[in-house]
Amino acid sequence: MVVVATVACTHNGARVGKGKGYGEVEYGILRELGVVDDSTPVATIVHDVQVVSCLQLSSEFLAVHDLPVDIICTPTVKVVKTKTMIAKPKGIFWELITDQMMDDIGALRKLKNRLDLESLLYSFPCTARYCYRELGFRSVKNVKLRCNLLI
C-alpha cells in the first residue's frame, strides 16, 4: 500500500495534491524499482470536506502523471473504496522533473544515475568491464545480466 497526501479527491478516485508533483514522483520511483504496480492500493487520509463531487474535480482535468486513489479514509466515513478506473502512472515522467526535485529527492538522482548507467551498459557492453573495476560490481557477468534484465 502507498499512502499519498491529498488536497482534494472524489469518490471515483480523482485526486489532486499540492501541485508540486512530489507524491507522484515518489510513486514513480517505486514503480521504476518494481516495488509497486497497478494492483498496489493507493490510499489517502483526508478531512470530510476534502472529498468533493466529480463536478468539482473532474477526472478529465487530471494530467497523465496524476496519481488516483483507491482508498479514502475520513474521520466520519472511515474508509471508502473508490473502484477507480483512472490509470496509475507507469513510472517517472522525466521531462517533468525539475532541478529542484532532483536536489530535494535524493533517491530520484540515484535512480536517474542508475538508469543512465544501465542504458550505457546495454548500449556499450564493453563498458561493463570498466563498471566492474571502477564501481565495484562483483563480476562482469552480473553487471551484464542485471542490465539485460532491467532494460
Side-chain angles (χ1 to χ4, degrees):
M1 176 181 290
V2 173
V3 179
V4 65
T6 299
V7 171
C9 60
T10 67
H11 287 286
N12 73 349
R15 171 203 154 269
V16 290
K18 293 182 180 179
K20 300 288 187 182
Y22 283 77
E24 285 79 6
V25 170
E26 291 166 352
Y27 178 83
I29 291 170
L30 296 174
R31 273 305 277 255
E32 296 277 352
L33 293 174
V35 178
V36 300
D37 59 24
D38 285 331
S39 66
T40 305
V42 176
T44 192
I45 303 167
V46 295
H47 191 278
D48 296 298
V49 299
Q50 292 173 272
V51 181
V52 299
S53 75
C54 295
L55 295 174
Q56 293 172 300
L57 178 59
S58 173
S59 59
E60 295 172 6
F61 296 112
L62 299 179
V64 67
H65 65 273
D66 285 328
L67 181 60
V69 292
D70 301 298
I71 301 166
I72 302 168
C73 302
T74 70
T76 60
V77 180
K78 303 295 183 209
V79 177
V80 174
K81 292 185 179 179
T82 66
K83 297 181 182 155
T84 187
M85 299 303 290
I86 304 167
K88 294 176 183 170
K90 301 291 183 204
I92 296 173
F93 292 83
W94 290 104
E95 66 276 9
L96 301 177
I97 300 300
T98 65
D99 291 338
Q100 186 67 48
M101 287 178 165
M102 290 295 260
D103 291 340
D104 290 346
I105 307 171
L108 186 60
R109 185 174 304 283
K110 287 181 181 181
L111 177 62
K112 178 75 169 128
N113 291 342
R114 175 181 163 188
L115 293 174
D116 288 347
L117 175 63
E118 289 165 354
S119 177
L120 179 67
L121 289 175
Y122 183 75
S123 300
F124 304 101
C126 62
T127 60
R129 292 194 189 286
Y130 166 80
C131 292
Y132 168 64
R133 282 193 322 266
E134 301 299 321
L135 302 178
F137 285 100
R138 285 189 210 131
S139 74
V140 174
K141 180 180 176 184
N142 286 345
V143 172
K144 288 181 182 177
L145 177 63
R146 185 170 158 207
C147 290
N148 288 333
L149 291 174
L150 291 170
I151 296 177

